[in-house]
Amino acid sequence: MKTAPYGSWPSPLSARDAATASVRLAELQIEGGSLYWSERRPAEGGRTVVVELPLDGGVPCDRLPAGFSARTRVHEYGGGAYCALDGFVFFATFPDGRVFRQRPGVAPEPLTLPADAAYADLVPDAERRRILAVREEYRAGEEPRAAIVAIDAEAATPSAARLLHEGADFYSSPRPSPDGAHLAWLSWSHPDMPWDASEVWRAPVLRDGSLGEALCVAGGRGESLSQPAWSPDGRLLFISDRRGYWNLYRSALAAETDPDPLALEEAEYAPPQWVCGLRNHVFAGRHTVVAAATRDGIWQLRRIDARSGAVTVLPSAQTYLHSLASAASGDSGASGDAVYLVGSGPLQTNAIFRLDVVKGTLVEVYRPSGPQLDSAVVSVGEPISFPGADGGEVHAFYYPPRNPGSRGPDGEHPPLLVKSHGGPTSASDNALDLPVQFWTSRGFALVDVNYRGSSGYGRAYRRALEGRWGILDVDDCVAAARHLAQLGLADPGRLVIRGGSAGGYTALAALAFRDAFAAGASYYGVADLEGLARDTHKFESRYLDRLIGPYPDARSVYLERSPLHAADRLSCPVIFFQGLEDKVVPPNQAETMVAALRAKGVPVAYVTFPNEGHGFRNADAQTRAMEAELYFYSRVFGFAPAAPIDPVPIDPLPIENAGALQS
């Protein structure tokens, strides 16, 4: 074993391998004897392909030809961009937004007219040979208009989608009943986000395909709902946090009575609805529900008897589970002994598994090709809890540096990267993430913080951030760093905070308003809260009402908590990464912050990607970002990376100056 400075360890995992192996599987569907899923491939420019696997022993095949990607900009984060019916694939495209029909062996055919619109949450209405979808229409000077629409699946030429329902600010999850007689959906309106307050509705489908009078099944103020789905007996299942956790409920047989709880526990049966097309529970036969739920950041499967309510936890090596699909789901009489799902664990990236519902066992069905990391190099994320600055409990996953071929110098502790996830109403898990291993295999420790405001720990934990964004999340990240430093697991002089989007804001706020960190990295992070409130997309346009306060009434708070207005207090090096097509956090936020730091003489680097938006999809961009960040830290902490890296300009330091910024 070779002794080498932390950060300089030779790693078998290159940035390119970490990027290309980060293939994302999601949105499983079963139709006509085949399993379908979406597969986002960084190596193909980040495009999302629909893949089909015949369940009679066939092999996977791409259903979208080169040049097409199943992607949508609805709610800006998309999701639910495809569905299958009778062997045809229907998919939404980006950036033109049209819906296409793809017959096997035939070029995709447009079904919708050219228009400034986008479609998501596509689902077949087989009874009427049409595709149901959520549509957003974009008009200059107005907020996008949301609606549920129907698209003729058999149209010979492109035509306008048929309007079925409008009136709410946002829609998702249109779901026809098994007999096609009713339609259910989820909706919410400003100023709420779907995890604040939302409603499940149902309406009869009339003979001409239009909807009759709609009835609110559940939801409203103080209750967040998600993922409505039909049971074989025509009752609605959905997830609600009315008792403090996102648990599973079903509508009562009598419409005027409250929904019945199907599974109650201190666990969350859903993530926050940032994207459309989520499916965390399915029927596997008439009386059996299979669901994925998370407790303390670890996801597990549940088998639920819909008659007795008995819940059986199915053990698994996979700690992140989602995108469930069953041939029996929604079928009034099918016998389902198998459920398909996406799973990943601390030692393996995501793959598709077949769950034997009776035995409770998982068998791998499909794994994307690409580089795999030897388990001897893998740093496993350990769940930890520690007190925040106010004494409240905070959760995180700690990853120690790990590389069997290297060790750090005697008496030294590793630099620590504090990762602040986005959202902020999102969450981290400990499933294998190769970009995390990129750092730990080179000698960095990393802690992925589920600060207060994160999902997965109940409504009270999630709502703790209301009015305190930029304070509580920052304090929790500082507490994580100091906790690990006090335990001797990190060098207190080499603490770094990094994050993307809302996590980038937390990172910048920590650098501006606290003195715990020696450096930072912001990936498309928020620097100007007022700018975000005035210049962001519809989905998040009122998000800050709860996190900060109503704008402009609380303008003074927005200014007070914006890192941009505290640049004079920031004195450590920062690197910024920004997609120039970002509509969520526009590039001017990063550019203004970079200019302020340059003017002050604080070492700063700015790396841009012309064809990337909010989140980098292309392997080239992901590779460059990882390498540039490593180069930046090598200059900050004075070590030499094991392999050459293209340098990054760091103002005001000349590139040719090889000395450390801290020297």
Side-chain angles (χ1 to χ4, degrees):
M1 182 180 290
K2 179 182 178 181
T3 299
Y6 290 109
S8 70
W9 296 356
S11 171
L13 181 65
S14 69
R16 170 64 61 175
D17 285 348
T20 56
S22 300
V23 174
R24 182 180 181 273
L25 306 175
E27 299 177 353
L28 272 59
Q29 300 178 21
I30 296 176
E31 197 278 329
S34 287
L35 176 68
Y36 297 83
W37 64 86
S38 65
E39 186 168 314
R40 191 173 75 193
R41 300 171 179 169
E44 297 183 22
R47 82 176 183 117
T48 299
V49 181
V50 178
V51 182
E52 178 184 4
L53 173 64
L55 294 177
D56 60 1
V59 297
C61 64
D62 290 358
R63 288 297 306 270
L64 269 60
F68 286 89
S69 178
R71 185 181 170 195
T72 171
R73 61 172 293 192
V74 169
H75 303 164
E76 210 59 45
Y77 297 101
Y82 89 96
C83 69
L85 176 63
D86 292 341
F88 293 13
V89 170
F90 302 84
F91 65 97
T93 57
F94 182 88
D96 68 356
R98 300 176 76 181
V99 174
F100 284 75
R101 174 181 58 213
Q102 199 277 316
R103 310 169 188 252
V106 178
E109 307 162 290
L111 291 181
T112 57
L113 295 169
D116 199 2
Y119 300 84
D121 246 326
L122 275 62
V123 63
D125 181 359
E127 295 289 323
R128 297 168 184 84
R129 319 305 304 165
R130 62 185 186 177
I131 305 301
L132 306 177
V134 172
R135 181 184 68 193
E136 279 189 343
E137 288 186 298
Y138 308 103
R139 303 179 183 183
E142 298 181 12
E143 279 197 335
R145 293 189 178 184
I148 297 175
V149 299
I151 301 165
D152 185 355
E154 299 179 336
T157 59
S159 59
R162 181 180 183 181
L163 177 66
L164 295 182
H165 199 274
E166 62 180 348
D169 288 326
F170 303 95
Y171 289 93
S172 75
S173 313
R175 300 288 181 261
S177 60
D179 60 3
H182 290 81
L183 180 67
W185 64 86
L186 188 79
S187 66
W188 65 98
S189 291
H190 289 315
D192 295 316
M193 302 299 287
W195 46 82
D196 296 323
S198 45
E199 299 172 335
V200 168
W201 291 76
R202 63 180 292 174
V205 182
L206 305 181
R207 182 171 298 179
D208 65 354
S210 63
L211 299 184
E213 183 177 357
L215 170 70
C216 182
V217 176
R221 289 291 153 198
E223 181 179 9
S224 167
L225 307 180
S226 68
Q227 301 186 41
W230 294 92
S231 69
D233 63 0
R235 298 170 72 177
L236 271 172
L237 267 68
F238 52 86
I239 295 164
S240 167
D241 68 350
R242 59 174 51 193
R243 299 194 186 187
Y245 289 83
W246 273 320
N247 284 174
L248 197 56
Y249 291 77
R250 60 183 165 186
S251 61
L253 291 173
E256 66 275 6
T257 59
D258 287 339
D260 301 322
L262 189 58
L264 293 180
E265 59 176 316
E266 292 187 357
E268 305 262 58
Y269 278 65
Q273 187 176 293
W274 281 97
V275 297
C276 299
L278 298 175
R279 293 181 189 268
N280 283 74
H281 60 91
V282 293
F283 263 89
R286 183 180 292 275
H287 302 298
T288 302
V289 177
V290 175
T294 179
R295 184 196 294 270
D296 296 331
I298 305 296
W299 287 82
Q300 294 176 309
L301 291 173
R302 268 84 165 142
R303 183 179 61 218
I304 305 166
D305 188 318
R307 294 164 296 187
S308 66
V311 178
T312 302
V313 176
L314 306 179
S316 167
Q318 315 308 312
T319 56
Y320 182 46
L321 302 151
H322 61 96
S323 299
L324 279 63
S326 168
S329 183
D331 192 311
S332 61
S335 172
D337 62 353
V339 167
Y340 293 83
L341 54 95
V342 178
S344 50
L347 296 176
Q348 288 187 321
T349 53
N350 65 172
I352 295 174
F353 294 86
R354 181 185 185 272
L355 169 71
D356 185 309
V357 177
V358 176
K359 297 179 181 179
T361 55
L362 286 172
V363 176
E364 186 176 306
V365 172
Y366 171 82
R367 179 175 296 277
S369 61
Q372 301 294 323
L373 189 61
D374 188 326
S375 61
V377 183
V378 173
S379 177
V380 173
E382 172 193 347
I384 62 172
S385 298
F386 49 89
D390 61 355
E393 187 178 41
V394 186
H395 307 282
F397 290 100
Y398 164 66
Y399 295 83
R402 181 176 174 85
N403 188 323
S406 300
R407 63 186 297 272
D410 291 339
E412 287 192 19
H413 300 302
L416 174 71
L417 304 181
V418 178
K419 181 182 176 185
S420 173
H421 65 69
T425 311
S426 295
S428 298
D429 57 76
N430 73 341
L432 181 60
D433 180 18
L434 292 187
V436 167
Q437 304 299 320
F438 172 86
W439 297 106
T440 56
S441 63
R442 284 167 169 76
F444 288 84
L446 187 146
V447 62
D448 202 345
V449 186
N450 276 327
Y451 48 80
R452 260 82 61 88
S454 303
S455 296
Y457 302 90
R459 187 179 180 93
Y461 194 88
R462 187 173 75 245
R463 298 193 66 172
L465 199 60
E466 292 183 2
R468 296 194 285 175
W469 191 34
I471 298 175
L472 197 58
D473 52 320
V474 172
D475 286 342
D476 289 353
C477 287
V478 170
R482 289 177 172 165
H483 171 72
L484 292 170
Q486 289 169 1
L487 292 177
L489 299 175
D491 182 345
R494 292 187 290 175
L495 304 177
V496 179
I497 188 164
R498 62 193 299 271
S501 190
Y505 166 71
T506 299
L508 293 173
L511 295 170
F513 303 121
R514 306 291 188 275
D515 60 1
F517 298 102
S522 169
Y523 282 73
Y524 35 89
V526 178
D528 179 7
L529 291 173
E530 182 179 35
L532 183 66
R534 295 187 304 194
D535 185 22
T536 192
H537 58 110
K538 177 186 175 184
F539 181 67
E540 294 184 76
S541 62
R542 301 291 298 276
Y543 191 16
L544 302 189
D545 283 19
R546 276 193 168 89
L547 294 175
I548 302 293
Y551 184 85
D553 294 350
R555 182 172 182 265
S556 61
V557 182
Y558 281 72
L559 299 180
E560 177 185 324
R561 294 192 198 166
S562 291
L564 180 65
H565 299 294
D568 60 323
R569 299 173 58 179
L570 205 158
S571 58
C572 66
V574 188
I575 186 168
F576 293 80
F577 299 91
Q578 182 69 44
L580 299 183
E581 296 297 323
D582 196 336
K583 299 296 190 295
V584 179
V585 179
N588 62 359
Q589 295 230 2
E591 291 161 1
T592 305
M593 192 73 177
V594 168
L597 295 179
R598 283 174 177 163
K600 189 185 176 188
V602 174
V604 60
Y606 184 40
V607 183
T608 62
F609 301 96
N611 298 317
E612 292 286 351
H614 196 67
F616 303 154
R617 304 171 66 91
N618 191 303
D620 290 341
Q622 295 175 14
T623 299
R624 177 55 176 158
M626 278 184 274
E627 291 181 343
E629 192 177 352
L630 176 60
Y631 173 85
F632 186 76
Y633 297 148
S634 74
R635 300 295 306 284
V636 171
F637 297 127
F639 63 85
I645 299 175
D646 288 340
V648 178
I650 303 173
D651 295 327
L653 197 71
I655 289 177
E656 60 270 20
N657 185 339
L661 298 183
Q662 285 195 336
S663 63

